[in-house]
Amino acid sequence: MYELPAYLVWGFLESGKSTLIKETLNQDYFNDGEKTMILTFEEGEVEYDKEMLEKTNSFVVNIENMEDFTKEFVRGCQRNYYPDRVMIEYNGMYSIDDLMDVVDETDLELYQVIVTVDASTADLYLKNMKSMFMEMFKMADLVIFNRCDDNTNMGSFRRSIKAVNPRAQVGFERADGKEMAQDELLPYDVNADVIKVEDEDYGIWYIDAMERPEVYEGKTVEMRVQVQRSPKMPPGMIIPGRKAMTCCEDDMIFIGYLCRLNQTKSKTLKRILNNEWVTLTAQIHSEYNEAYDKTMPILTAIRIEKSEPPKEQLVYF
């Protein structure tokens, strides 16, 4: 029929989805006269009042059963209401595959995925339903933690998300809606001549270097890492890094940055095998990474020496 832009707002019950949709609809850049269909799969505490809907040229369609959301339903909404765009309020307990199956079969074009998280209950959900959380994080373009306070562990939450989805933006808001500063007290001195990253701090360094590559530009880092080498890689390149677990063993990934070897003076390099543990000293620079569509760190090795594995080989997010 016609392309229908869709914005997916996804999260558990009372995580702030309805509030975010209302705030977005009232923004000047969004409240431009176009007709918005709010497709909601749940009824939370926040209602869409008539005055707000009229002011923003919006209307609500409630889906009581997931089975009712079909391609025929979407096409019927297009014929009957002719919306210009759709805001989808989706419950985090539902399977995303059920939603995407219909999206793929219709004129819905997913423009943005926003995940909302109630920071006051996030630890509980992460402990008991981590796999569901991680599934949301993997798809998100933006993750918003609301109802934060001074005790909110922003660094830990941000690292968990970036480990599974480096491209996602992460924001934190207090209960009054004010944005919280994301500066994190790092466990190492970023201004030292050589930034020494302890074994337990590798995940913190990896995520911070990804988010703020300009802070590490030209800096020298020393850390214990595992070497990944492959015949498919360009000559003179390795990936030093660590294995990280975000949820369970099935979600285990290797996280590291490309490293050039052309400047290293290490005499033991040729004897270092794939998956071997080393102490790496390297200089950090940043280059555009086409796969992630952003500037990313890349290392140039200064010294590589064989090392014993750390007591805890996994990095946990």
Side-chain angles (χ1 to χ4, degrees), residues 111-283:
Y111 275 28
Q112 188 179 35
V113 178
I114 304 173
V115 173
T116 58
V117 183
D118 181 351
S120 65
T121 59
D123 283 324
L124 182 64
Y125 275 111
L126 278 168
K127 180 179 180 180
N128 296 293
M129 288 182 260
K130 193 168 186 177
S131 60
M132 289 184 178
F133 247 143
M134 291 303 164
E135 193 65 30
M136 288 190 276
F137 295 157
K138 287 177 183 177
M139 283 191 62
D141 299 301
L142 172 64
V143 181
I144 300 175
F145 285 82
N146 53 62
R147 302 164 196 164
C148 299
D149 57 31
D150 293 336
N151 296 317
T152 300
N153 194 340
M154 295 187 293
S156 177
F157 289 146
R158 189 168 66 246
R159 288 192 295 273
S160 295
I161 295 166
K162 290 292 186 177
V164 297
N165 184 358
R167 66 178 178 80
Q169 293 181 293
V170 187
F172 299 88
E173 295 180 352
R174 293 186 179 274
D176 60 6
K178 292 182 178 179
E179 186 176 351
M180 295 187 70
Q182 296 190 36
D183 289 340
E184 181 179 1
L185 182 61
L186 298 171
Y188 47 79
D189 183 2
V190 74
N191 294 312
D193 292 338
V194 178
I195 302 172
K196 295 189 176 182
V197 179
E198 300 297 334
D199 296 332
E200 63 271 20
D201 299 328
Y202 179 84
I204 296 174
W205 170 81
Y206 175 82
I207 296 299
D208 198 54
M210 179 183 296
E211 286 198 306
R212 307 189 301 163
E214 70 282 356
V215 173
Y216 295 87
E217 180 65 31
K219 300 290 180 69
T220 299
V221 63
E222 179 185 303
M223 54 193 171
R224 179 157 46 177
V225 288
Q226 199 171 20
V227 172
Q228 292 282 318
R229 309 181 78 171
S230 168
K232 297 181 181 180
M233 294 177 64
M237 300 288 288
I238 62 171
I239 301 180
R242 299 276 298 274
K243 291 179 180 178
M245 183 184 296
T246 58
C247 180
C248 57
E249 290 188 6
D250 292 338
D251 292 322
M252 196 179 301
I253 56 174
F254 187 85
I255 56 173
Y257 297 117
L258 282 171
C259 179
R260 297 189 180 99
L261 303 175
N262 54 304
Q263 292 185 15
T264 182
K265 299 178 181 178
S266 173
K267 296 180 181 180
T268 62
L269 179 59
K270 292 183 179 179
R271 299 196 299 272
I272 293 175
L273 304 176
N274 191 39
N275 294 322
E276 193 159 15
W277 287 92
V278 301
T279 297
L280 169 69
T281 304
Q283 193 172 51

Side-chain angles (χ1 to χ4, degrees), residues 9-74:
V9 182
W10 193 9
F12 292 116
L13 187 65
E14 299 180 14
S15 64
K17 299 186 295 296
S18 301
T19 299
L20 176 63
I21 291 173
K22 289 178 66 176
E23 291 175 350
T24 302
L25 289 172
N26 278 289
Q27 296 295 321
D28 291 339
Y29 69 86
F30 211 88
N31 188 10
D32 54 4
E34 291 195 343
K35 191 176 185 179
T36 304
M37 178 171 70
I38 305 170
L39 191 59
T40 176
F41 287 77
E42 64 179 38
E43 295 182 8
E45 288 187 348
V46 178
E47 296 181 354
Y48 298 100
D49 60 86
K50 184 178 179 181
E51 182 180 354
M52 185 279 295
L53 293 173
E54 291 178 351
K55 179 182 176 183
T56 59
N57 194 20
S58 307
F59 65 98
V60 178
V61 176
N62 182 256
I63 304 294
E64 294 184 359
N65 299 302
M66 194 65 211
E67 294 78 13
D68 296 332
F69 184 62
T70 63
K71 60 182 179 181
E72 290 78 17
F73 169 82
V74 174

